[in-house]
Short mmCIF file of all heavy atoms in Angstrom, two decimals:
data_model
loop_
_atom_site.label_atom_id
_atom_site.label_comp_id
_atom_site.label_asym_id
_atom_site.label_seq_id
_atom_site.Cartn_x
_atom_site.Cartn_y
_atom_site.Cartn_z
N TRP A 1191 16.48 -97.81 78.15
CA TRP A 1191 15.08 -98.31 78.32
C TRP A 1191 14.00 -97.24 78.26
O TRP A 1191 12.93 -97.50 77.80
CB TRP A 1191 15.07 -99.16 79.60
CG TRP A 1191 13.86 -99.89 79.76
CD1 TRP A 1191 12.80 -99.60 80.65
CD2 TRP A 1191 13.36 -101.04 79.09
NE1 TRP A 1191 11.80 -100.50 80.48
CE2 TRP A 1191 12.11 -101.48 79.54
CE3 TRP A 1191 13.90 -101.83 78.02
CZ2 TRP A 1191 11.33 -102.46 79.06
CZ3 TRP A 1191 13.18 -102.87 77.59
CH2 TRP A 1191 11.87 -103.28 78.10
N SER A 1192 14.27 -96.15 78.84
CA SER A 1192 13.21 -95.15 78.97
C SER A 1192 13.00 -94.36 77.68
O SER A 1192 11.91 -93.96 77.37
CB SER A 1192 13.62 -94.10 80.12
OG SER A 1192 14.71 -93.32 79.77
N ILE A 1193 14.08 -94.19 76.84
CA ILE A 1193 13.90 -93.40 75.58
C ILE A 1193 13.62 -94.33 74.37
O ILE A 1193 13.30 -93.85 73.34
CB ILE A 1193 15.14 -92.56 75.34
CG1 ILE A 1193 16.37 -93.35 75.07
CG2 ILE A 1193 15.34 -91.54 76.39
CD1 ILE A 1193 17.53 -92.54 74.52
N PHE A 1194 13.71 -95.66 74.58
CA PHE A 1194 13.60 -96.54 73.41
C PHE A 1194 12.24 -96.40 72.76
O PHE A 1194 12.21 -96.33 71.51
CB PHE A 1194 13.72 -98.03 73.87
CG PHE A 1194 13.63 -98.98 72.71
CD1 PHE A 1194 14.67 -99.17 71.79
CD2 PHE A 1194 12.45 -99.76 72.59
CE1 PHE A 1194 14.50 -99.95 70.71
CE2 PHE A 1194 12.33 -100.66 71.51
CZ PHE A 1194 13.40 -100.75 70.58
N PRO A 1195 11.10 -96.32 73.44
CA PRO A 1195 9.89 -96.13 72.66
C PRO A 1195 9.88 -94.84 71.77
O PRO A 1195 9.20 -94.81 70.65
CB PRO A 1195 8.74 -95.98 73.79
CG PRO A 1195 9.39 -96.66 74.92
CD PRO A 1195 10.89 -96.40 74.84
N PHE A 1196 10.34 -93.73 72.31
CA PHE A 1196 10.38 -92.48 71.59
C PHE A 1196 11.36 -92.64 70.37
O PHE A 1196 11.01 -92.14 69.29
CB PHE A 1196 10.88 -91.40 72.49
CG PHE A 1196 9.96 -91.12 73.68
CD1 PHE A 1196 10.26 -91.66 74.85
CD2 PHE A 1196 8.69 -90.49 73.49
CE1 PHE A 1196 9.46 -91.53 75.94
CE2 PHE A 1196 7.95 -90.28 74.63
CZ PHE A 1196 8.22 -90.88 75.81
N LEU A 1197 12.51 -93.21 70.55
CA LEU A 1197 13.42 -93.43 69.53
C LEU A 1197 12.81 -94.36 68.41
O LEU A 1197 12.87 -94.02 67.22
CB LEU A 1197 14.71 -94.16 69.97
CG LEU A 1197 15.78 -94.33 69.04
CD1 LEU A 1197 16.25 -93.03 68.35
CD2 LEU A 1197 16.96 -95.03 69.79
N CYS A 1198 12.18 -95.42 68.84
CA CYS A 1198 11.53 -96.40 67.92
C CYS A 1198 10.44 -95.57 67.06
O CYS A 1198 10.40 -95.76 65.89
CB CYS A 1198 10.89 -97.48 68.68
SG CYS A 1198 10.26 -98.76 67.58
N ALA A 1199 9.65 -94.82 67.75
CA ALA A 1199 8.54 -94.03 67.14
C ALA A 1199 9.14 -93.03 66.06
O ALA A 1199 8.51 -93.02 64.86
CB ALA A 1199 7.67 -93.26 68.11
N ILE A 1200 10.17 -92.37 66.33
CA ILE A 1200 10.65 -91.42 65.40
C ILE A 1200 11.29 -92.12 64.24
O ILE A 1200 11.14 -91.63 63.17
CB ILE A 1200 11.58 -90.34 66.06
CG1 ILE A 1200 11.84 -89.18 65.14
CG2 ILE A 1200 12.90 -90.89 66.44
CD1 ILE A 1200 10.72 -88.30 64.94
N LEU A 1201 11.98 -93.15 64.42
CA LEU A 1201 12.66 -93.90 63.36
C LEU A 1201 11.58 -94.52 62.34
O LEU A 1201 11.70 -94.45 61.21
CB LEU A 1201 13.58 -95.00 63.90
CG LEU A 1201 14.76 -94.44 64.58
CD1 LEU A 1201 15.57 -95.59 65.22
CD2 LEU A 1201 15.66 -93.64 63.65
N ILE A 1202 10.49 -95.03 62.97
CA ILE A 1202 9.40 -95.52 62.13
C ILE A 1202 8.74 -94.37 61.39
O ILE A 1202 8.37 -94.57 60.15
CB ILE A 1202 8.37 -96.33 63.04
CG1 ILE A 1202 9.01 -97.62 63.54
CG2 ILE A 1202 7.19 -96.56 62.25
CD1 ILE A 1202 8.15 -98.39 64.60
N ALA A 1203 8.53 -93.32 61.97
CA ALA A 1203 7.97 -92.15 61.31
C ALA A 1203 8.75 -91.67 60.15
O ALA A 1203 8.22 -91.36 59.10
CB ALA A 1203 7.60 -91.00 62.35
N VAL A 1204 10.05 -91.51 60.33
CA VAL A 1204 10.96 -91.09 59.28
C VAL A 1204 10.88 -92.17 58.12
O VAL A 1204 10.80 -91.63 56.96
CB VAL A 1204 12.36 -91.04 59.81
CG1 VAL A 1204 13.40 -90.78 58.73
CG2 VAL A 1204 12.44 -89.76 60.77
N GLU A 1205 10.97 -93.39 58.46
CA GLU A 1205 10.92 -94.42 57.35
C GLU A 1205 9.56 -94.32 56.60
O GLU A 1205 9.54 -94.41 55.35
CB GLU A 1205 11.17 -95.83 57.98
CG GLU A 1205 11.36 -96.81 56.95
CD GLU A 1205 12.65 -96.63 56.14
OE1 GLU A 1205 13.61 -95.98 56.62
OE2 GLU A 1205 12.67 -97.10 54.92
N LEU A 1206 8.52 -94.15 57.30
CA LEU A 1206 7.17 -94.11 56.67
C LEU A 1206 7.12 -92.80 55.77
O LEU A 1206 6.56 -92.83 54.71
CB LEU A 1206 6.03 -94.07 57.66
CG LEU A 1206 5.80 -95.31 58.27
CD1 LEU A 1206 4.77 -95.22 59.51
CD2 LEU A 1206 5.15 -96.43 57.38
N PHE A 1207 7.68 -91.64 56.24
CA PHE A 1207 7.73 -90.53 55.54
C PHE A 1207 8.52 -90.67 54.18
O PHE A 1207 8.02 -90.19 53.15
CB PHE A 1207 8.42 -89.39 56.41
CG PHE A 1207 8.43 -88.06 55.72
CD1 PHE A 1207 7.30 -87.21 55.57
CD2 PHE A 1207 9.67 -87.48 55.27
CE1 PHE A 1207 7.36 -86.03 55.06
CE2 PHE A 1207 9.66 -86.33 54.79
CZ PHE A 1207 8.60 -85.54 54.60
N SER A 1208 9.61 -91.33 54.30
CA SER A 1208 10.48 -91.50 53.02
C SER A 1208 9.83 -92.53 52.09
O SER A 1208 9.74 -92.33 50.91
CB SER A 1208 11.86 -92.08 53.41
OG SER A 1208 12.50 -91.04 54.20
N MET A 1209 9.25 -93.69 52.66
CA MET A 1209 8.75 -94.78 51.79
C MET A 1209 7.44 -94.34 51.20
O MET A 1209 7.12 -94.86 50.16
CB MET A 1209 8.56 -95.95 52.62
CG MET A 1209 9.84 -96.57 53.13
SD MET A 1209 11.10 -96.88 51.91
CE MET A 1209 10.44 -98.33 51.17
N SER A 1210 6.65 -93.44 51.79
CA SER A 1210 5.42 -93.05 51.22
C SER A 1210 5.52 -92.04 50.01
O SER A 1210 4.63 -91.87 49.26
CB SER A 1210 4.50 -92.32 52.38
OG SER A 1210 5.11 -91.03 52.59
N GLY A 1211 6.66 -91.52 49.88
CA GLY A 1211 6.94 -90.44 48.86
C GLY A 1211 6.49 -89.11 49.11
O GLY A 1211 6.62 -88.15 48.34
N LEU A 1212 6.14 -88.98 50.42
CA LEU A 1212 5.69 -87.59 50.89
C LEU A 1212 6.89 -86.61 50.80
O LEU A 1212 6.73 -85.46 50.52
CB LEU A 1212 5.15 -87.64 52.32
CG LEU A 1212 4.48 -86.38 52.89
CD1 LEU A 1212 3.41 -86.02 51.99
CD2 LEU A 1212 4.01 -86.70 54.24
N ASN A 1213 8.07 -87.09 51.13
CA ASN A 1213 9.28 -86.19 50.99
C ASN A 1213 9.50 -85.70 49.60
O ASN A 1213 9.86 -84.51 49.41
CB ASN A 1213 10.50 -86.91 51.51
CG ASN A 1213 10.84 -88.09 50.78
OD1 ASN A 1213 10.05 -88.73 50.08
ND2 ASN A 1213 12.13 -88.60 50.82
N VAL A 1214 9.23 -86.53 48.59
CA VAL A 1214 9.41 -86.08 47.16
C VAL A 1214 8.35 -85.07 46.85
O VAL A 1214 8.59 -84.01 46.26
CB VAL A 1214 9.47 -87.25 46.15
CG1 VAL A 1214 9.47 -86.74 44.77
CG2 VAL A 1214 10.60 -88.22 46.50
N TRP A 1215 7.06 -85.32 47.32
CA TRP A 1215 6.03 -84.46 47.10
C TRP A 1215 6.33 -83.07 47.73
O TRP A 1215 6.09 -82.03 47.04
CB TRP A 1215 4.73 -85.05 47.52
CG TRP A 1215 3.52 -84.10 47.37
CD1 TRP A 1215 2.80 -83.91 46.12
CD2 TRP A 1215 2.98 -83.23 48.34
NE1 TRP A 1215 1.82 -82.94 46.46
CE2 TRP A 1215 1.90 -82.55 47.71
CE3 TRP A 1215 3.29 -83.01 49.67
CZ2 TRP A 1215 1.12 -81.63 48.31
CZ3 TRP A 1215 2.46 -82.08 50.35
CH2 TRP A 1215 1.40 -81.42 49.65
N MET A 1216 6.69 -83.05 48.98
CA MET A 1216 7.00 -81.79 49.67
C MET A 1216 8.12 -81.03 48.99
O MET A 1216 8.14 -79.82 49.00
CB MET A 1216 7.36 -82.10 51.08
CG MET A 1216 6.14 -82.33 51.98
SD MET A 1216 6.54 -82.59 53.76
CE MET A 1216 7.09 -80.97 54.15
N SER A 1217 9.09 -81.80 48.49
CA SER A 1217 10.25 -81.14 47.79
C SER A 1217 9.73 -80.35 46.58
O SER A 1217 10.16 -79.26 46.31
CB SER A 1217 11.34 -82.20 47.38
OG SER A 1217 11.80 -82.77 48.54
N LYS A 1218 8.84 -80.99 45.84
CA LYS A 1218 8.21 -80.33 44.59
C LYS A 1218 7.44 -79.12 45.00
O LYS A 1218 7.51 -78.11 44.32
CB LYS A 1218 7.46 -81.36 43.80
CG LYS A 1218 8.25 -82.37 43.18
CD LYS A 1218 7.40 -83.40 42.42
CE LYS A 1218 8.29 -84.42 41.83
NZ LYS A 1218 7.53 -85.44 41.11
N VAL A 1219 6.73 -79.17 46.09
CA VAL A 1219 5.89 -78.08 46.51
C VAL A 1219 6.80 -76.96 47.00
O VAL A 1219 6.50 -75.77 46.69
CB VAL A 1219 4.92 -78.55 47.69
CG1 VAL A 1219 4.21 -77.29 48.30
CG2 VAL A 1219 3.87 -79.50 47.02
N CYS A 1220 7.85 -77.25 47.72
CA CYS A 1220 8.79 -76.20 48.27
C CYS A 1220 9.76 -75.61 47.27
O CYS A 1220 10.36 -74.61 47.53
CB CYS A 1220 9.56 -76.77 49.47
SG CYS A 1220 8.50 -77.28 50.83
N ALA A 1221 9.98 -76.29 46.17
CA ALA A 1221 10.95 -75.85 45.21
C ALA A 1221 10.79 -74.42 44.72
O ALA A 1221 11.84 -73.68 44.77
CB ALA A 1221 11.00 -76.82 44.08
N PRO A 1222 9.67 -74.01 44.31
CA PRO A 1222 9.52 -72.57 43.85
C PRO A 1222 9.89 -71.52 44.92
O PRO A 1222 10.65 -70.56 44.67
CB PRO A 1222 8.07 -72.37 43.47
CG PRO A 1222 7.62 -73.77 43.26
CD PRO A 1222 8.35 -74.71 44.16
N VAL A 1223 9.50 -71.80 46.19
CA VAL A 1223 9.80 -70.93 47.31
C VAL A 1223 11.29 -70.80 47.60
O VAL A 1223 11.93 -69.78 47.76
CB VAL A 1223 8.98 -71.30 48.57
CG1 VAL A 1223 9.34 -70.42 49.78
CG2 VAL A 1223 7.52 -71.19 48.28
N LEU A 1224 11.98 -71.99 47.64
CA LEU A 1224 13.33 -72.12 47.83
C LEU A 1224 14.13 -71.44 46.81
O LEU A 1224 15.23 -70.77 47.03
CB LEU A 1224 13.77 -73.53 48.17
CG LEU A 1224 13.11 -74.14 49.38
CD1 LEU A 1224 13.57 -75.63 49.44
CD2 LEU A 1224 13.58 -73.48 50.61
N ARG A 1225 13.69 -71.56 45.59
CA ARG A 1225 14.37 -70.97 44.42
C ARG A 1225 14.43 -69.38 44.56
O ARG A 1225 15.43 -68.83 44.27
CB ARG A 1225 13.70 -71.30 43.06
CG ARG A 1225 14.53 -71.09 41.93
CD ARG A 1225 13.88 -71.64 40.55
NE ARG A 1225 13.34 -72.97 40.70
CZ ARG A 1225 11.95 -73.17 40.54
NH1 ARG A 1225 11.16 -72.26 40.23
NH2 ARG A 1225 11.50 -74.40 40.65
N VAL A 1226 13.34 -68.88 45.06
CA VAL A 1226 13.29 -67.40 45.27
C VAL A 1226 14.26 -67.06 46.36
O VAL A 1226 14.85 -65.93 46.35
CB VAL A 1226 11.87 -66.97 45.62
CG1 VAL A 1226 11.84 -65.53 46.15
CG2 VAL A 1226 10.85 -67.20 44.42
N LEU A 1227 14.42 -67.91 47.39
CA LEU A 1227 15.33 -67.59 48.49
C LEU A 1227 16.84 -67.93 48.20
O LEU A 1227 17.67 -67.68 48.94
CB LEU A 1227 14.95 -68.46 49.71
CG LEU A 1227 13.57 -68.14 50.30
CD1 LEU A 1227 13.20 -69.18 51.38
CD2 LEU A 1227 13.55 -66.71 50.93
N GLY A 1228 17.04 -68.40 46.99
CA GLY A 1228 18.42 -68.60 46.53
C GLY A 1228 18.91 -70.05 46.88
O GLY A 1228 20.14 -70.25 46.73
N ILE A 1229 18.14 -70.92 47.18
CA ILE A 1229 18.54 -72.24 47.48
C ILE A 1229 18.22 -73.12 46.20
O ILE A 1229 17.21 -73.15 45.62
CB ILE A 1229 17.77 -72.87 48.71
CG1 ILE A 1229 18.15 -72.12 49.89
CG2 ILE A 1229 18.15 -74.39 48.87
CD1 ILE A 1229 17.35 -72.55 51.20
N PRO A 1230 19.27 -73.86 45.66
CA PRO A 1230 19.09 -74.61 44.48
C PRO A 1230 17.90 -75.70 44.59
O PRO A 1230 17.78 -76.23 45.66
CB PRO A 1230 20.46 -75.35 44.25
CG PRO A 1230 21.37 -74.51 45.07
CD PRO A 1230 20.62 -73.93 46.11
N GLU A 1231 17.15 -75.79 43.57
CA GLU A 1231 15.98 -76.75 43.56
C GLU A 1231 16.42 -78.13 43.86
O GLU A 1231 15.62 -78.88 44.51
CB GLU A 1231 15.36 -76.63 42.20
CG GLU A 1231 14.05 -77.37 42.05
CD GLU A 1231 13.43 -77.13 40.74
OE1 GLU A 1231 13.58 -76.11 40.13
OE2 GLU A 1231 12.79 -78.16 40.31
N GLU A 1232 17.59 -78.52 43.56
CA GLU A 1232 18.14 -79.88 43.75
C GLU A 1232 18.35 -80.22 45.29
O GLU A 1232 18.41 -81.41 45.61
CB GLU A 1232 19.45 -80.03 43.05
CG GLU A 1232 19.36 -80.00 41.52
CD GLU A 1232 19.42 -78.57 40.95
OE1 GLU A 1232 19.49 -77.60 41.85
OE2 GLU A 1232 19.38 -78.36 39.76
N LEU A 1233 18.29 -79.17 46.08
CA LEU A 1233 18.48 -79.37 47.52
C LEU A 1233 17.19 -79.44 48.29
O LEU A 1233 17.17 -79.53 49.50
CB LEU A 1233 19.31 -78.34 48.11
CG LEU A 1233 20.88 -78.23 47.53
CD1 LEU A 1233 21.58 -76.99 48.11
CD2 LEU A 1233 21.59 -79.50 47.77
N CYS A 1234 16.02 -79.31 47.63
CA CYS A 1234 14.78 -79.24 48.32
C CYS A 1234 14.54 -80.51 49.09
O CYS A 1234 14.15 -80.57 50.27
CB CYS A 1234 13.69 -79.13 47.27
SG CYS A 1234 13.59 -77.50 46.50
N GLU A 1235 14.85 -81.74 48.46
CA GLU A 1235 14.55 -82.96 49.17
C GLU A 1235 15.52 -83.03 50.41
O GLU A 1235 15.13 -83.58 51.44
CB GLU A 1235 14.72 -84.18 48.32
CG GLU A 1235 14.31 -85.44 48.88
CD GLU A 1235 14.31 -86.64 47.92
OE1 GLU A 1235 14.61 -86.45 46.76
OE2 GLU A 1235 13.97 -87.78 48.44
N LEU A 1236 16.72 -82.60 50.24
CA LEU A 1236 17.63 -82.62 51.41
C LEU A 1236 17.16 -81.74 52.54
O LEU A 1236 17.26 -82.11 53.68
CB LEU A 1236 19.00 -82.14 50.92
CG LEU A 1236 20.12 -82.03 51.91
CD1 LEU A 1236 20.52 -83.45 52.40
CD2 LEU A 1236 21.35 -81.28 51.39
N LEU A 1237 16.63 -80.65 52.25
CA LEU A 1237 16.07 -79.77 53.29
C LEU A 1237 14.83 -80.29 53.95
O LEU A 1237 14.60 -80.02 55.15
CB LEU A 1237 15.69 -78.38 52.65
CG LEU A 1237 16.83 -77.50 52.36
CD1 LEU A 1237 16.46 -76.28 51.54
CD2 LEU A 1237 17.58 -77.07 53.55
N VAL A 1238 14.08 -81.10 53.28
CA VAL A 1238 12.94 -81.79 53.83
C VAL A 1238 13.36 -82.94 54.72
O VAL A 1238 12.88 -83.16 55.82
CB VAL A 1238 11.95 -82.28 52.70
CG1 VAL A 1238 10.90 -83.17 53.27
CG2 VAL A 1238 11.28 -81.13 51.97
N ILE A 1239 14.32 -83.70 54.29
CA ILE A 1239 14.82 -84.89 55.08
C ILE A 1239 15.68 -84.50 56.17
O ILE A 1239 15.69 -85.19 57.18
CB ILE A 1239 15.54 -85.84 54.12
CG1 ILE A 1239 14.50 -86.51 53.15
CG2 ILE A 1239 16.19 -86.95 54.87
CD1 ILE A 1239 13.54 -87.40 53.79
N ARG A 1240 16.49 -83.55 56.10
CA ARG A 1240 17.55 -83.32 57.13
C ARG A 1240 16.94 -83.08 58.58
O ARG A 1240 17.54 -83.65 59.46
CB ARG A 1240 18.26 -81.97 56.77
CG ARG A 1240 19.37 -81.63 57.79
CD ARG A 1240 20.41 -82.74 57.77
NE ARG A 1240 21.37 -82.48 58.87
CZ ARG A 1240 22.15 -83.39 59.37
NH1 ARG A 1240 22.09 -84.62 59.07
NH2 ARG A 1240 22.97 -83.11 60.35
N PRO A 1241 15.77 -82.44 58.83
CA PRO A 1241 15.29 -82.37 60.22
C PRO A 1241 14.84 -83.70 60.71
O PRO A 1241 14.63 -83.83 61.89
CB PRO A 1241 14.20 -81.33 60.11
CG PRO A 1241 14.39 -80.60 58.90
CD PRO A 1241 15.11 -81.54 57.89
N LEU A 1242 14.63 -84.61 59.76
CA LEU A 1242 14.02 -85.93 60.22
C LEU A 1242 15.11 -86.99 60.30
O LEU A 1242 15.07 -87.77 61.31
CB LEU A 1242 12.97 -86.45 59.13
CG LEU A 1242 11.74 -85.51 58.99
CD1 LEU A 1242 10.99 -85.90 57.89
CD2 LEU A 1242 10.92 -85.61 60.30
#
Side-chain angles (χ1 to χ4, degrees):
W1191 183 255
S1192 69
I1193 66 173
F1194 182 74
F1196 300 98
L1197 180 60
C1198 186
I1200 195 69
L1201 292 175
I1202 289 170
V1204 167
E1205 191 63 27
L1206 287 174
F1207 182 74
S1208 296
M1209 297 305 283
S1210 69
L1212 190 58
N1213 61 339
V1214 176
W1215 179 80
M1216 284 183 66
S1217 298
K1218 290 179 182 176
V1219 169
C1220 295
V1223 174
L1224 294 176
R1225 196 175 315 117
V1226 170
L1227 296 173
I1229 297 176
E1231 186 175 329
E1232 296 83 0
L1233 297 177
C1234 292
E1235 190 173 359
L1236 180 67
L1237 286 169
V1238 170
I1239 289 293
R1240 182 61 185 162
L1242 297 169

